[in-house]
Amino acid sequence: MHFKVSTSIIIPKPNKEWYNSPKTFRLIVLLNILGKLIEKFIGERLQFHLISNNFIHLSQLGSLKQCLLSDAGVALMHFIHTSWVKNNTTSTLMFDIAQFFPSLNHQLLPLIFDKVGFDLKVSLFFCNYLVGIKTQYFWNNFSSPFFNIDIGVGQGLALSHILSALYIAPILHILENHLKILNLPVSTLSFVDDGLLVA
């Protein structure tokens, strides 16, 4: 149970004129070290299974081992140069999914695990993993009581990036299939909660 308890330190962002909005503060979440190590191990095994079964979309370059932001730049340059060879111009549309991690739906996760082919025990583990999480807020000398934070996936968790990749993968596969059906020459790049459409 103590793996599901965290301490959140509220720190004001520097050089702000006013501190009357939550956006002018940053949360630093302190987690149990042993819990982080266990999450890291589970995340690596989960990523291995997802990639070896081709569930992760090829355009997903963020939140995965050996996939860096520079890889997204190289892929974008490839798309542009390929277009130039065909005497075409390239257009891009970049997007950011606001509040992505807090918005991840817990009821969707078991369906995704089932689609991937995971055992029911794995699905049940993650359903349990994402509930019953509590944090206590500290600001200067103030300490709050514990609050339940059973929404989405915590961005600082060791499993948050692989779980985000798991949520995004079906969307990218569906988008790719629709673009093929419509015969639209659009490519996608995804980096965690940021994306790029290239035409």
Side-chain angles (χ1 to χ4, degrees):
M1 180 63 185
H2 60 277
F3 295 144
K4 294 187 175 193
V5 176
S6 65
T7 301
S8 298
I9 310 296
I10 302 170
I11 299 175
K13 293 179 181 176
N15 304 322
K16 298 292 180 184
E17 186 175 336
W18 300 100
Y19 290 95
N20 57 358
S21 166
K23 289 184 177 185
T24 58
F25 295 91
R26 178 174 289 124
L27 277 179
I28 306 296
V29 180
L30 306 176
L31 302 167
N32 180 290
I33 296 293
L34 186 56
K36 287 175 77 168
L37 289 172
I38 292 169
E39 285 181 2
K40 187 169 177 61
F41 172 76
I42 292 170
E44 288 186 14
R45 296 302 306 152
L46 185 60
Q47 179 174 323
F48 173 80
H49 182 78
L50 293 171
I51 290 174
S52 62
N53 288 299
N54 296 320
F55 188 77
I56 298 295
H57 194 273
L58 291 174
S59 71
Q60 288 182 264
L61 300 173
S63 68
L64 302 170
K65 278 188 171 280
Q66 301 176 346
C67 290
L68 307 172
L69 181 58
S70 58
D71 295 330
V74 169
L76 178 58
M77 289 304 297
H78 171 73
F79 293 142
I80 292 170
H81 285 261
T82 302
S83 181
W84 286 350
V85 167
K86 298 176 183 177
N87 289 325
N88 292 329
T89 57
T90 303
S91 298
T92 60
L93 174 67
M94 296 180 192
F95 60 89
D96 172 54
I97 304 172
Q99 294 295 310
F100 176 68
F101 288 97
S103 302
L104 295 177
N105 186 330
H106 293 181
Q107 285 78 32
L108 183 60
L109 193 57
L111 300 174
I112 295 171
F113 277 121
D114 185 52
K115 179 85 172 159
V116 176
F118 277 108
D119 188 89
L120 180 61
K121 292 177 186 174
V122 174
S123 180
L124 291 174
F125 167 80
F126 278 98
C127 288
N128 182 51
Y129 166 78
L130 295 172
V131 297
I133 299 172
K134 298 177 186 272
T135 194
Q136 184 178 21
Y137 296 95
F138 286 87
W139 182 20
N140 294 331
N141 294 327
F142 170 78
S143 63
S144 75
F146 281 96
F147 289 94
N148 288 328
I149 49 172
D150 290 341
I151 58 165
V153 174
Q155 191 168 351
L157 299 175
L159 284 171
S160 62
H161 291 290
I162 190 62
L163 289 178
S164 70
L166 192 61
Y167 275 96
I168 292 283
I171 296 167
L172 292 173
H173 286 293
I174 291 167
L175 177 63
E176 180 182 54
N177 288 339
H178 281 292
L179 291 171
K180 282 182 182 176
I181 290 169
L182 296 171
N183 198 26
L184 293 174
V186 178
S187 301
T188 60
L189 290 175
S190 170
F191 198 85
V192 190
D193 60 343
D194 299 315
L196 184 68
L197 298 175
V198 184

